[in-house]
Amino acid sequence: MKKVLILSSSPRRGGNSDTLCDQFLRGAVDGGNDVEKIFLRDKKINYCNGCSVCSLHGKPCPQNDDMAEILEKMLAADLIVMATPVYFYTMSAQMKTLIDRCCGLYTEMKDKEFYFIVTAAEEDQEKMWRTIDTFQGFLDCLENPTVKGVIFGLGVWHVGEIKDKPAMQQAYEAGKNL
């Protein structure tokens, strides 16, 4: 059994990437894992203000928001799913803001497994690797991360368009076969 944390950065509850998160969650639960999903829009996550309290002084971030709780959950997880809709060939602002706020504790994120879920109106998977490269920039700063897989939901824009795409089954199977 793995402790799984799903971070859904869609601004739309029930949007295409959020729907794939739900499928991954369903599969992971069916596979007997301990799973939690956080819908980032429900949380207050301020931008990093560059004060260096966390990185230079090793103290908790002075911002009074939900990021400390999310960081604790990231540190406790065995596997982290990071999901985003793709805007202009990169991740959502919600996901980037979360990543930037990992500054203080990223050195403690060791031996984590990751899945990435990306959805886009674009149909060319090659172009989606730009978004994955952005995620990889985060992982390059961690100690011994492992990318377990990437789920691409392509050719989708409007809510619900993902429902007849192969990514739905791929997300479920990925979760179930952890």
Side-chain angles (χ1 to χ4, degrees):
M1 178 179 83
K2 292 188 180 186
K3 188 165 184 62
V4 179
L5 179 64
I6 300 172
L7 301 172
S8 176
S9 73
S10 177
R12 303 184 297 189
R13 185 178 309 284
N16 294 310
S17 64
D18 191 48
T19 297
L20 291 180
C21 287
D22 290 341
Q23 283 292 98
F24 193 102
L25 183 144
R26 195 168 63 83
V29 167
D30 287 351
N33 297 285
D34 177 12
V35 189
E36 179 179 2
K37 175 184 157 192
I38 297 175
F39 187 66
L40 296 184
R41 199 182 91 185
D42 288 346
K43 301 294 183 181
K44 181 176 185 197
I45 304 172
N46 298 324
Y47 299 120
C48 177
N49 62 22
C51 68
S52 299
V53 167
C54 65
S55 59
L56 198 57
H57 305 292
K59 294 181 180 177
C61 181
Q63 296 194 63
N64 187 17
D65 63 7
D66 295 322
M67 194 57 204
E69 169 196 346
I70 295 169
L71 269 171
E72 284 179 29
K73 292 177 182 197
M74 290 175 77
L75 291 172
D78 300 310
L79 183 135
I80 300 171
V81 177
M82 302 180 88
T84 186
V86 173
Y87 298 131
F88 301 101
Y89 298 104
T90 194
M91 66 181 59
S92 69
Q94 291 86 341
M95 182 60 72
K96 181 64 170 107
T97 300
L98 176 131
I99 289 171
D100 289 351
R101 287 293 301 286
C102 289
C103 190
L105 295 176
Y106 78 92
T107 58
E108 295 179 34
M109 287 188 204
K110 300 175 182 176
D111 304 314
K112 302 288 180 199
E113 296 177 339
F114 289 86
Y115 260 95
F116 301 126
I117 295 174
V118 295
T119 58
E122 175 66 58
E123 294 184 10
D124 183 354
Q125 185 171 309
E126 279 302 307
K127 292 180 180 175
M128 292 302 98
W129 285 104
R130 294 181 195 175
T131 304
I132 302 307
D133 285 345
T134 307
F135 278 123
Q136 189 62 51
F138 173 54
L139 267 56
D140 286 348
C141 297
L142 307 182
E143 188 175 317
N144 198 34
T146 304
V147 177
K148 299 298 283 185
V150 178
I151 299 161
F152 293 101
L154 304 180
V156 297
W157 184 327
H158 302 290
V159 171
E161 289 181 338
I162 195 70
K163 292 191 176 170
D164 66 346
K165 301 290 185 181
M168 289 289 284
Q169 187 64 27
Q170 292 166 1
Y172 176 81
E173 292 297 328
K176 185 165 172 103
N177 296 317
L178 296 177

